[in-house]
Amino acid sequence: MTSLASPSPLPSPVPPVLTVVGIGADGWDGLAPASRDALRSAGVLLGGARQLDLLPPECAGERLTWPSPLRPAVPGLIAAHAGRGLTVLASGDPMFHGIGRTLTEVLAAFPDDPAAPCPRLRVLPHPSSVAYACARLGWPVADTEVVSLVGRPVAGLARALHHGRRVLVLSSGADTPARIAEALRERGFGPSRMRVLEQLGGPAEAQADGTAATWARPPGDPLNVVAVECVREPGALRLPVVPGLPDDAYDHDGQLTKRHVRAATLSALAPEPGELLWDVGGGSGSLAIEWLRSHPACRAVTVERNAVRAARIARNADTLGVPALRVVRGAAPDALAGLPVPDAVFIGGGLTTPGLLDACWAALPPGGRLVANTVTLESEALLTEWYRRHGGDLVRLAVAHATPVGGFTGWRQAMPVTQWVGVKPVPTGGGASAPEPSGEAAGPAVPGEADVPAVPGETTPVPTPSSPAAPTSPTSPTNEER
């Protein structure tokens, strides 16, 4: 069995058809005739060692194992072997959390060639582990949440945990069930039932049963799927699927956009699947985290200059099930250089930093959204000027909470938040309407913005770690609404 290493660059011609064959734990015996024929006729067989070992001698093609890391090597492997009848082996359904997606994306990068065969990729799937598991458990596939931990942190499971829901977890190895049990206990789902299904569809198929709270089973077969029936402990924090998580869900130092304002802000940002958010001045990371929780395909980058807060954002993201949040340590606007183009930008503080609003606005594509919140008069004046030039919506958000007043109850008003929502104009004929800018240059930043004093129900900024006892410089930008 040959092991391959470094990839070669993409060639100019498009490769011929590449075949991908899904195979299960039942091996050769479980394959359909078309899949067997493809494997017999292949000149080169590429896959994992376990998968290649399932093939009989009659599959005479050269056998190559995937190198590590896999993704960077794929273009070179296709370029080197596509002309030799290259066939790739994959587990189960290659297009369901499998190598099929990677191959599709790589083939799309090859230059177009009218003479190339079409389609370039032929996929012969096998039943997936999810199909087998749901058949064994009697769970409707359409009603079952699927979370893959293959090459992903266990923290990503937290986003799928809701009382009464059924979750299938694709394991990355023999130790995954124990790590899942630990994650469930930490997040208040210890009573949840866990079933580990090993070698699904094969002669060695087995199942283990228990609860997360009492799970003590040693590592078993690395080829496993974990079924979780979610049960939340009494008193555990309830995390809804809509924006506006409880403030207690976040570890923070006071730099937190509070629940009701956060929900209104997410509504204004209007995330759609696949879109990218810049969260400028992350604070506790709440806006970026809830943007990511809105859909698994959403992406977010948060920019935070304070090292302690940046680390806290990463912890909050793990706790709330979105470990893919990218945290950039640095001060905006300089830290924005080189970031991918955003679909939306949120600015929660530091609005009067010279060039910040202009840089964020310039980074947006036509139709992109910019939302900025502030509680200071200086920044409000700046947003009013931007509203005059660019249109959009300028709103005042005010929240009051009932609190004891002696033996009675009264309203305690939180500091009102001014919010500007702007949409980057689409050029004429672009098919969408947006307010046209006046053409004036952006005005100078308002100097002298200082840290916002603590206000009940809003934010409580704290000194930076480098100078715990010293007040913040009057010219330093702050996370006003965090």
Side-chain angles (χ1 to χ4, degrees):
M1 207 174 279
T2 308
S3 179
L4 298 176
S6 58
S8 57
L10 290 174
S12 53
V14 176
V17 172
L18 172 65
T19 300
V20 186
V21 176
I23 190 168
D26 47 1
W28 183 257
D29 292 339
L31 293 177
S35 296
R36 292 187 182 188
D37 291 343
L39 294 169
R40 288 192 191 102
S41 62
V44 178
L45 293 161
L46 177 59
R50 180 184 62 81
Q51 296 154 345
L52 292 170
D53 287 343
L54 295 173
L55 301 183
E58 60 189 277
C59 299
E62 181 184 1
R63 303 189 183 194
L64 308 174
T65 57
W66 287 114
S68 182
L70 185 152
R71 177 80 187 220
V74 171
L77 294 175
I78 295 175
H81 302 289
R84 301 174 56 199
L86 176 61
T87 297
V88 174
L89 273 175
S91 293
D93 183 350
M95 302 305 292
F96 186 74
H97 294 285
I99 190 65
R101 175 176 178 172
T102 299
L103 294 175
T104 301
E105 293 171 351
V106 169
L107 288 174
F110 280 78
D112 290 330
D113 182 353
C118 184
R120 299 182 193 174
L121 186 67
R122 180 172 65 134
V123 179
L124 301 173
H126 187 275
S128 68
S129 58
V130 169
Y132 273 121
C134 285
R136 301 293 187 267
L137 298 166
W139 292 3
V141 177
D143 297 333
T144 302
E145 183 97 12
V146 178
V147 176
S148 176
L149 297 185
V150 180
R152 298 176 175 88
V154 176
L157 174 62
R159 184 180 168 276
L161 300 180
H162 299 283
H163 185 73
R165 291 291 292 168
R166 292 167 170 173
V167 181
L168 275 181
V169 186
L170 308 183
S171 288
S172 61
D175 65 337
T176 302
R179 292 161 58 209
I180 291 172
E182 181 181 6
L184 291 170
R185 293 192 296 267
E186 289 176 349
R187 286 160 178 79
F189 282 84
S192 301
R193 183 182 182 186
M194 289 177 52
R195 280 178 278 184
V196 179
L197 300 94
E198 301 174 344
Q199 291 285 332
L200 281 164
E205 182 173 324
Q207 186 177 144
D209 200 335
T211 66
T214 59
W215 193 265
R217 182 175 182 261
D221 194 285
L223 191 63
N224 71 81
V225 173
V226 181
V228 180
E229 296 179 70
C230 298
V231 178
R232 186 172 50 242
E233 296 173 354
L237 192 63
R238 187 174 183 274
L239 300 177
V241 296
V242 297
L245 296 183
D247 293 344
D248 291 346
Y250 294 95
D251 176 22
H252 63 91
D253 59 3
Q255 295 287 3
L256 174 72
T257 301
K258 297 302 175 66
R259 181 178 192 172
H260 301 92
V261 173
R262 193 186 325 128
T265 302
L266 262 296
S267 176
L269 287 167
E272 289 190 348
E275 288 192 321
L276 173 68
L277 171 73
W278 282 5
D279 180 13
V280 181
S284 63
S286 62
L287 264 297
I289 287 169
E290 296 192 28
W291 169 283
L292 289 173
R293 284 176 58 92
S294 69
H295 193 275
C298 285
R299 300 164 294 139
V301 178
T302 184
V303 179
E304 172 55 55
R305 61 181 181 145
N306 183 293
V308 173
R309 290 180 184 148
R312 186 181 289 116
I313 290 171
R315 292 195 303 272
N316 281 333
D318 280 357
T319 299
L320 296 171
V322 287
L325 173 59
R326 179 182 173 188
V327 182
V328 173
R329 165 84 170 86
D334 292 345
L336 305 178
L339 296 182
V341 176
D343 297 286
V345 177
F346 173 67
I347 306 176
L351 279 168
T352 58
T353 303
L356 177 59
L357 258 173
D358 297 276
C360 292
W361 187 250
L364 285 169
R369 292 91 65 201
L370 193 153
V371 178
N373 289 357
T374 187
V375 295
T376 68
L377 293 176
E378 291 80 5
S379 290
E380 183 178 281
L382 183 60
L383 292 183
T384 302
E385 177 62 17
W386 272 70
Y387 172 68
R388 185 183 69 81
R389 292 198 212 122
H390 299 287
D393 290 317
L394 188 67
V395 299
R396 175 72 62 84
L397 304 173
V399 178
H401 295 272
T403 58
V405 180
F408 299 91
T409 303
W411 293 108
R412 183 176 295 278
Q413 188 75 39
M415 181 175 283
V417 176
T418 299
Q419 180 181 88
W420 179 68
V421 182
V423 179
K424 190 81 169 281
V426 176
T428 303
S433 61
E436 292 292 333
S438 66
E440 300 176 26
V446 180
E449 180 180 359
D451 274 344
V452 182
V455 176
E458 276 302 320
T459 61
T460 310
V462 299
T464 61
S466 59
S467 179
T472 306
S473 166
T475 59
S476 64
T478 63
N479 297 322
E480 301 156 347
E481 176 46 28
R482 304 287 181 167

